[in-house]
Each structure stands twice: as structure tokens, then as C-alpha cells.
Amino acid sequence: MACFSSLVTAYSSFTEEEKYMHRCLQLAGYGNGWVAPNPMVGTVIVHQGKIIGEGFHRKYGEAHAEVNAINAVRNLELLKESTLYVNLEPCSHYGKTPPCTRLIIEKQIPRVIIGQIDPFPTVSGKGIKMLNDAGIEVSVGILEKECERLNRRFITYHQKHRPYIILKWAQSSDGFMDRLRETGDGQSPIRFSNDFTQILVHKMRAEEAAIMVGSRTEKLDKPQLNVRFWDGNNPKIIKPFADKSLSAQMSVLYEQKIQSLMVEGGSKLLQSFINEHLWDEAQVEINPMKLKKGVKIPNFSGTLENVQKCKKSTVLVFWNSLKL
């Protein structure tokens, strides 16, 4: 009850624009794992303090959030007196679908509130200019940090010309990832994950474009690396390129339009990404068991962002404050 009360208090402190932008972000998140390489976008249309239409980008190649929101409005005449909220600048170019800015202009929506400017060079600033040139009032930067965090994969890909990189491992409470094993000795890997955290891992996989493990992990464990415990697309399996540096490998993935990469180990591969500062986020599952010896976890430092208790295990999320 106390948690609910705190949530209500926090929500009541938001401005009207922030409340509607929060709803945009909530809607946009429903497209996670389905819209890449497009960004996640949600749209809310408000008339005289009442939401009359909302929508989100559901799947790559299908209608954008602005189109779905406008199509949800029963009385289209109300659009001429409404405000459209969207977490990312409306597109201004023809891609899989027509530009959303033209539709907004055609429907004579007089005011548009945007969370952040699109980092994609083909769009960046151009959609806002089109709206302004059409006489539409535009405001930018409402909950900008939250908007950027939601589309961190899309932003990293376009700004840094590499995938957004997530490191993932599970470990014992005393800092080991596995027992020491020799190739082909028949020993099975230790399972740190419980049923719930295993589902979380498969959910993560469904949200990323590709996944990578080291050659030793692949040989010993033969991981399936799919999303059999979650509804979504299987990530593309990437094998490390022995003749290329990590930076060069990331450039190859950028050229292949892979926006995010999940690295599930082993320890040597994870450490190589850490040493090159080529990571953005780390998800670490800690099991209460103790191994006392074995394969040590990677040596890294990051900013702790979130702690989640999952039965007896704890999942920690870190951000890399020194990412390149």
C-alpha cells in the first residue's frame, strides 16, 4: 500500500505534459523486441484534457505510432483542436511507410509535443522543421532523458556506429561463473538460474538483435541461445571473428544493421569487451550458492542502476559510465 501511495504522489507531481509523455513511453515499450531496427515510439492525442486517441509502433514495416493514434480517434474533426504527444520526433521521409509529419499536417493538428529529436541523420530535425513550416506549434524535450533511455539501442547504433552492447552472466555469491572444466570431460555446467530468472534471460534475448558467446562456452555447453521460454524473435547468433579486433567486429555488425548485441560469455570473452570499454549495460544474476573455486567472474566496474530480487537470486543491472 505504501508503494502504491508513493507512486501516486510521484505521479501527481508531474506536469500535464509529463503525464502524457509517460503514457507515450509506456505505449512505446510494448513494441520492444518487435520494431527493430526502427525505434520504439508511442503517441497520445489529447483534446481538452482528455485522451481521444493513442497508439504505438507494433512491428517493423507496419504503421507508425502517430498513424495508429490518429486512426484510433473517432471524431477526426477534434484533431484540429488537439495536441499530439510523441516520445520521438515524427519521421519526415519515405521508408517502409509514408512520413508521419505529412499526416499530422494533413490532419491539421495544431500542436505537437516531442520527447526527443531523432538521432537518425535522415530525420534529425527535419520532421520538426516541416511541422514548424506548416504553422504547427512544436515543443521538444519533455522527459528527454527517459525517452533517450527507452531507445538507447537505436541511439547508440546511430551515434556510435556500433550495436548497443549488453553483458550477461550468472554467478555464485562468492564470485565464480562455473567450476573448472576441461574440454570434453563430460561435466555439465552449473545452473545458477532458477525458473523465473531463466524466463528473464529469454525475455532479454527476445529484445536484442544478436547474441554472442565464446568458442569455449559454445563447445562445452552447446547453448541453444533461443527464446523458447518467451514469446519473441530468436536473436541472430554471432561467433567471435578470430582475425578481427572487437572494435572491427562491432563495425561489421553495424554494417549488418545489428543495433544490439547480448554477450553471454564465457569469462574471457566478457573480459575482453570490458577491457575495451565496449559495453553499455551489464546484467548480473547472483545465486546464493558458493563454489569456493572455479572460473572467476569478469573484473569490471559500473554504475549500479537496478536491483531485482528473483526468488533466492538477485539480478543487478549496471551502466557503463565510461562507454565509448
Side-chain angles (χ1 to χ4, degrees), residues 45-48 50 52 73 75-85 108-112:
I45 301 174
V46 179
H47 178 264
Q48 296 182 357
K50 180 181 178 181
I52 61 171
V73 176
N75 184 355
L76 294 180
E77 286 300 311
L78 296 181
L79 291 174
K80 298 175 183 179
E81 302 172 347
S82 299
T83 299
L84 182 146
Y85 291 81
Q108 301 179 48
I109 298 173
R111 187 166 180 251
V112 176

Side-chain angles (χ1 to χ4, degrees), residues 137-182:
E137 179 187 343
V138 179
S139 296
V140 183
I142 303 300
L143 299 184
E144 185 174 25
K145 293 298 182 183
E146 290 85 343
C147 293
E148 290 174 348
R149 176 159 294 184
L150 177 73
N151 278 310
R152 55 193 181 277
R153 299 166 182 83
F154 181 77
I155 294 170
T156 298
Y157 176 82
H158 287 292
Q159 291 186 343
K160 301 185 182 299
H161 294 179
R162 66 164 175 81
Y164 183 85
I165 300 168
I166 302 174
L167 308 183
K168 164 68 179 72
W169 72 84
Q171 64 172 79
S172 64
S173 60
D174 56 349
F176 296 97
M177 293 178 62
D178 197 2
R179 63 166 69 94
L180 291 172
R181 293 181 289 152
E182 297 298 328

